Amino acid sequence: MKDLTITTVIKVYQYDELSEADQTLVAAAMGATARSYAPYSRFSVGAAALLANGTLITGTNQENAAYPSGLCAERTALFYANSQYPDQAITTLAVAARTESDFIDMPIPPCGACRQVILETEKRYKQPIRILLYGKDEIYEMKSIGDLLPLSFDASSMD
């Protein structure tokens, strides 16, 4: 028997430590939460994707009374970007969440389904997607979805 050690490095920032470009992207994710449709959970999530050509795409969570028919903000943004700009890689994805009263204090990570879609998008464009997760107290930065999904399943797993 042997141990397999997996190390993930997550950088932690305050909002004012981010570059102007990253502040703009995080602000877009925060702003997108206002367009969320979350009448059941009352937990609004916004995502903003920066494309290689500089285009900024946003997405929001969309709930449905017939769970699990809704869709997360991350997948909404990625699917729109992939369908409308199929030749443009996504370079950075920012995610923000709020309750009815305020933005959450600590960042929330993408769910498992979103992690898998981010992985597939990285594979599609053959480059990592940098991820920024917003919380009022701190912001997490990951260089790739591999930092959140180190043992991943993709097409190469079926070879």
Side-chain angles (χ1 to χ4, degrees), residues 64-81:
N64 190 295
Y67 274 42
S69 298
L71 195 60
C72 298
E74 298 93 315
R75 285 181 282 157
T76 301
L78 293 176
F79 291 156
Y80 181 82

Side-chain angles (χ1 to χ4, degrees), residues 60-104:
T60 63
N61 60 320
Q62 300 293 307
E63 293 181 350
N64 190 295
Y67 274 42
S69 298
L71 195 60
C72 298
E74 298 93 315
R75 285 181 282 157
T76 301
L78 293 176
F79 291 156
Y80 181 82
N82 290 337
S83 68
Q84 296 301 306
Y85 300 90
D87 60 336
Q88 293 297 313
I90 297 165
T91 61
T92 308
L93 178 68
V95 181
R98 63 175 296 124
T99 62
E100 287 183 305
S101 61
D102 201 2
F103 286 94
I104 60 172

Side-chain angles (χ1 to χ4, degrees), residues 58-146:
T58 60
T60 63
N61 60 320
Q62 300 293 307
E63 293 181 350
N64 190 295
Y67 274 42
S69 298
L71 195 60
C72 298
E74 298 93 315
R75 285 181 282 157
T76 301
L78 293 176
F79 291 156
Y80 181 82
N82 290 337
S83 68
Q84 296 301 306
Y85 300 90
D87 60 336
Q88 293 297 313
I90 297 165
T91 61
T92 308
L93 178 68
V95 181
R98 63 175 296 124
T99 62
E100 287 183 305
S101 61
D102 201 2
F103 286 94
I104 60 172
D105 293 334
M106 298 301 293
I108 58 158
C111 73
C114 287
R115 291 177 195 210
Q116 189 68 33
V117 169
I118 296 167
L119 173 70
E120 188 75 19
T121 304
E122 284 188 351
K123 299 293 182 180
R124 176 181 181 170
Y125 293 104
K126 299 178 177 63
Q127 71 177 54
I129 296 174
R130 190 168 145 261
I131 302 168
L132 297 170
L133 303 177
Y134 174 80
K136 287 189 317 184
D137 293 343
E138 52 195 27
I139 298 165
Y140 295 164
E141 176 200 45
M142 280 110 334
K143 296 293 184 186
S144 167
I145 194 61

Side-chain angles (χ1 to χ4, degrees), residues 11 38 49 78 86 149:
K11 290 189 177 185
L78 293 176
L149 193 61

Side-chain angles (χ1 to χ4, degrees), residues 32-44:
T33 64
R35 297 184 304 278
S36 166
Y37 180 70
Y40 307 105
S41 71
R42 307 218 187 304
F43 191 74
S44 298

